[in-house]
Amino acid sequence: MMQENSGHPVNPAQAAACCRPIDRLLCPELFRAIGDPTRASLLACLAKCGRPCTVTEIAACCSVDLSVVSRHLALMERGGLLASSKQGRTVSYAVRYVELAGLLRALADELEQCCERTPGSADCASDGCAPGCA
Amino acid sequence: MMQENSGHPVNPAQAAACCRPIDRLLCPELFRAIGDPTRASLLACLAKCGRPCTVTEIAACCSVDLSVVSRHLALMERGGLLASSKQGRTVSYAVRYVELAGLLRALADELEQCCERTPGSADCASDGCAPGCA
DNA sequence: TGTATACTTGCACAATGATGCAAGAGAACA
DNA sequence: TGTTCTCTTGCATCATTGTGCAAGTATACA
């Protein structure tokens, strides 16, 4: 109503009421799941391994207690970084490579669109989302 | 020495000693800076605005105290998400669109490389980084 | 059926973090 | 020079989080 969809809200207050894909992509729970040194190293470890690994295996690669690793892995699964599968008494975790890479690229695309959009002409309602949804 | 560079460490313990670009890309400080609901909304707000905004402007778009916003913005700058510039008594923060998008894409690429690499044949030393550097 | 293995959960504790209020620092302006 | 504006910093407080130990649960196996 105020601006075109191709542009920007004129100020942050208007931007806050303006719902765009970036709001969904900037999911705090997901990024928080990476934002701890122990978890980041577990994730890197698991990614580099390239296959599902058991909790015991993963715990062998860092100095913290197995129970701590178990909790970190569960948290990363809740955050959407990992997928788990249980076979007998062993639980394996694997990186959700495809989903994660897709989300990161989508976020990168959105950021660049924000950057390139013409200033001062954003229609907050035309993204299929009512104002104030953020 | 043990495997080819194109492959994977055979287990997480070996993977931990194996230094790859993903170790650098999974920077906990950066992701932690997004991993809080208030900060994520501030970042989205700033991104959607598409231009540098002052602390007062940004504070107007959320319900927390201005001092809290100031601290969150400083934290996000330290994490590499934002860049600040001071003009007179006003401080403006802007999203580091290019750097951020680049990092996210690089991480996405690395994740997919991890996923595609042939299992069981990773040379941990050939990435220009001594074992145990992780 | 008992025992070993693999993992999760309860509990306690120390550390960190998010928040608001109030005061301080620095710059513009009358 | 005093006042206003913009932002940062100190302090207190409450909540959350990361951690280890110990106990519990669930599965496999002898």
Side-chain angles (χ1 to χ4, degrees):
Chain A
M1 43 162 83
M2 334 182 195
Q3 303 103 344
E4 286 172 38
N5 183 32
S6 59
H8 287 284
V10 296
N11 58 46
Q14 203 175 84
C18 177
C19 193
R20 296 211 183 272
I22 201 173
D23 296 304
R24 174 182 51 84
L25 295 169
L26 281 175
C27 170
E29 200 183 15
L30 183 141
F31 291 102
R32 199 183 80 81
I34 318 179
D36 170 82
T38 306
R39 283 196 294 270
S41 75
L42 289 175
L43 180 61
C45 188
L46 205 43
K48 287 184 284 185
C49 219
R51 61 164 176 86
C53 298
T54 71
V55 178
T56 307
E57 273 183 320
I58 301 167
C61 82
C62 68
S63 57
V64 295
D65 194 79
L66 182 106
S67 69
V68 174
V69 172
S70 171
R71 267 184 281 243
H72 278 313
L73 293 171
L75 191 151
M76 288 195 278
E77 187 186 15
R78 284 197 299 277
L81 300 174
L82 306 180
S84 74
S85 60
K86 191 170 184 178
Q87 185 135 16
R89 58 189 165 185
T90 71
V91 178
S92 292
Y93 284 92
V95 176
R96 300 184 63 188
Y97 294 103
V98 179
E99 296 85 350
L100 215 51
L103 184 136
L104 294 171
R105 289 220 178 82
L107 184 52
D109 291 346
E110 268 303 307
L111 280 168
E112 282 178 351
Q113 271 198 32
C114 285
C115 184
E116 287 161 10
R117 213 173 274 145
T118 315
S121 56
D123 182 350
C124 296
S126 65
D127 266 54
C129 188
C133 63
Chain B
M1 42 158 85
M2 333 179 195
Q3 304 102 342
E4 287 173 38
N5 183 33
S6 59
H8 287 285
V10 296
N11 58 46
Q14 204 175 83
C18 178
C19 193
R20 294 208 185 274
I22 201 173
D23 297 304
R24 173 182 51 84
L25 296 169
L26 281 174
C27 171
E29 199 183 15
L30 184 139
F31 291 103
R32 200 184 80 79
I34 317 179
D36 170 82
T38 305
R39 282 196 294 270
S41 76
L42 289 175
L43 179 61
C45 188
L46 207 41
K48 287 184 285 186
C49 219
R51 61 165 176 85
C53 297
T54 71
V55 178
T56 307
E57 273 184 320
I58 301 166
C61 82
C62 69
S63 58
V64 296
D65 195 79
L66 182 108
S67 70
V68 174
V69 172
S70 171
R71 267 185 281 243
H72 278 314
L73 293 171
L75 191 151
M76 287 195 279
E77 187 185 16
R78 284 197 299 276
L81 300 175
L82 306 181
S84 73
S85 61
K86 192 170 182 178
Q87 185 136 16
R89 58 191 167 186
T90 71
V91 177
S92 292
Y93 284 92
V95 177
R96 299 184 64 189
Y97 294 102
V98 179
E99 296 84 349
L100 215 51
L103 184 137
L104 294 171
R105 289 221 177 81
L107 183 51
D109 291 345
E110 269 303 307
L111 280 168
E112 282 178 352
Q113 272 197 31
C114 285
C115 184
E116 287 160 10
R117 215 173 271 144
T118 315
S121 56
D123 182 350
C124 296
S126 67
D127 266 53
C129 188
C133 64

